[in-house]
Amino acid sequence: MVFTSHMELALEEARLAAACGEVPVGAVVVSPAGEVLAKAGNRTRELNDPSAHAEMLAVREACARLETERLTGCDLYVTLEPCAMCAGVIAAARIARVYYGASDPKSGGTAHGARVFSHPQAHHMPEIYDGIDAKACEALLTEFFTARRRLSGHSDA
Amino acid sequence: MVFTSHMELALEEARLAAACGEVPVGAVVVSPAGEVLAKAGNRTRELNDPSAHAEMLAVREACARLETERLTGCDLYVTLEPCAMCAGVIAAARIARVYYGASDPKSGGTAHGARVFSHPQAHHMPEIYDGIDAKACEALLTEFFTARRRLSGHSDA
């Protein structure tokens, strides 16, 4: 159980995303043996792809690497609560455990809103561990959006 | 309003998917001017990508073509009710209208289960029109799964 160092890798991906002007979220997929199979940050702007969330990219990369649609027994570390879309791909990929950092009451789809794993239509429900390195994960997001608001000025002024 | 011919294109993509051993679902993205921007069938097996559902691929292709994350004003035609993952990307891409064929009580995330558009966390809710060419859409799926069961024999015998 080395989730702090894996979440640190996810945080590093989130920081790299922020440096590129992307919303700072990062994700890492770890094999049952503890090997990092894939890591990614958000790239929706760079790729012009609304699906290019960190966890989506990490799951795709891990699947491509293992040449399989299923990541049975693998863990996912992500700095923000997955949205409905990402919860869907996590279920489809049969990820065993999800460790996430910051809660996302606005756009989350795991503990909030659609609660994708909490319906019979979710054929797979991973174990969920929330609040991992939550303060660091939240701080990155807060800093990013504060800076963006500052740059864009007060549009309501 | 030419949704029958657009759904026919989606059905053709579903048939092509079936011919490749993929679950027969097809999708088409249409611009506000009525231009077909992208069409795709399921390719999860071929691509080793659990996210490679027809509507996900079509949305990504249309975004790449227009070099944008948003498909504002565009319509999506898909032969099967979108799952939670695909409903998520449809919301993220700001698709205006979704026309779908067969209902999916088992894995759907639009009218069933997570009902992704029916929560405050869905920042965008498209208009939804269901049951378009439903019989043809369902027939493809039924034929596919019946043939697959026949090929695999009666595992419970």
Side-chain angles (χ1 to χ4, degrees):
Chain A
M1 187 79 82
V2 285
F3 58 65
T4 301
S5 65
H6 288 141
M7 188 58 92
E8 187 48 53
L9 275 182
L11 274 162
E12 186 54 30
E13 290 297 318
R15 287 183 203 106
L16 291 169
C20 298
E22 304 275 359
V23 175
V25 180
V28 173
V29 174
V30 181
S31 78
E35 184 192 1
V36 173
L37 294 173
K39 50 186 184 168
N42 261 346
R43 296 174 69 191
T44 60
R45 292 181 169 204
E46 176 197 347
L47 299 178
N48 284 319
D49 180 353
S51 81
H53 286 188
E55 50 275 63
M56 175 68 78
L57 295 177
V59 166
R60 278 193 194 128
E61 186 183 321
C63 286
R65 183 166 164 188
L66 299 183
E67 299 184 349
T68 173
E69 287 176 63
R70 299 270 171 97
L71 299 171
T72 310
C74 291
D75 297 344
L76 177 83
Y77 295 77
V78 56
T79 59
L80 183 65
E81 176 189 339
C83 71
M85 177 185 73
C86 291
V89 81
I90 287 165
R94 307 292 194 267
I95 293 276
R97 283 163 293 272
V98 174
Y99 299 91
Y100 73 79
S103 177
D104 190 358
K106 187 167 166 247
S107 303
T110 302
H112 296 91
R115 291 177 172 80
V116 167
F117 302 123
S118 307
H119 299 279
Q121 282 77 1
H123 304 306
H124 173 78
M125 183 179 174
E127 295 171 29
I128 307 273
Y129 301 91
D130 63 355
I132 314 296
D133 283 352
K135 283 190 181 176
C137 295
E138 285 163 11
L140 267 182
L141 287 157
T142 305
E143 284 162 25
F144 178 82
F145 285 111
T146 302
R148 200 152 82 168
R149 274 194 295 272
R150 198 178 300 128
L151 280 172
S152 66
H154 297 281
S155 59
D156 55 347
Chain B
M1 188 79 83
V2 284
F3 59 68
T4 301
S5 64
H6 288 141
M7 190 59 92
E8 187 48 53
L9 276 181
L11 274 161
E12 187 54 30
E13 290 296 318
R15 287 183 203 107
L16 291 169
C20 299
E22 304 274 358
V23 175
V25 181
V28 173
V29 174
V30 181
S31 79
E35 184 192 1
V36 173
L37 294 173
K39 50 186 183 167
N42 261 346
R43 295 173 70 192
T44 59
R45 293 182 168 202
E46 176 197 347
L47 300 178
N48 283 319
D49 179 354
S51 81
H53 287 187
E55 50 276 64
M56 173 70 77
L57 294 176
V59 165
R60 291 175 68 197
E61 185 184 322
C63 286
R65 182 166 166 188
L66 299 183
E67 298 184 351
T68 173
E69 287 177 63
R70 299 271 171 97
L71 299 171
T72 309
C74 291
D75 297 344
L76 177 81
Y77 294 77
V78 56
T79 58
L80 182 65
E81 177 189 339
C83 71
M85 176 186 73
C86 290
V89 82
I90 287 164
R94 305 294 192 270
I95 293 277
R97 282 163 294 273
V98 174
Y99 299 91
Y100 73 79
S103 176
D104 190 358
K106 186 167 167 246
S107 304
T110 302
H112 295 91
R115 291 178 172 79
V116 167
F117 302 123
S118 308
H119 300 278
Q121 282 78 0
H123 305 306
H124 172 79
M125 183 176 175
E127 296 171 29
I128 308 273
Y129 302 91
D130 62 355
I132 314 296
D133 283 352
K135 283 191 182 176
C137 295
E138 285 163 9
L140 268 182
L141 288 157
T142 304
E143 284 161 24
F144 178 81
F145 285 111
T146 302
R148 200 152 82 169
R149 273 194 297 272
R150 198 178 300 130
L151 281 172
S152 66
H154 296 282
S155 59
D156 56 347

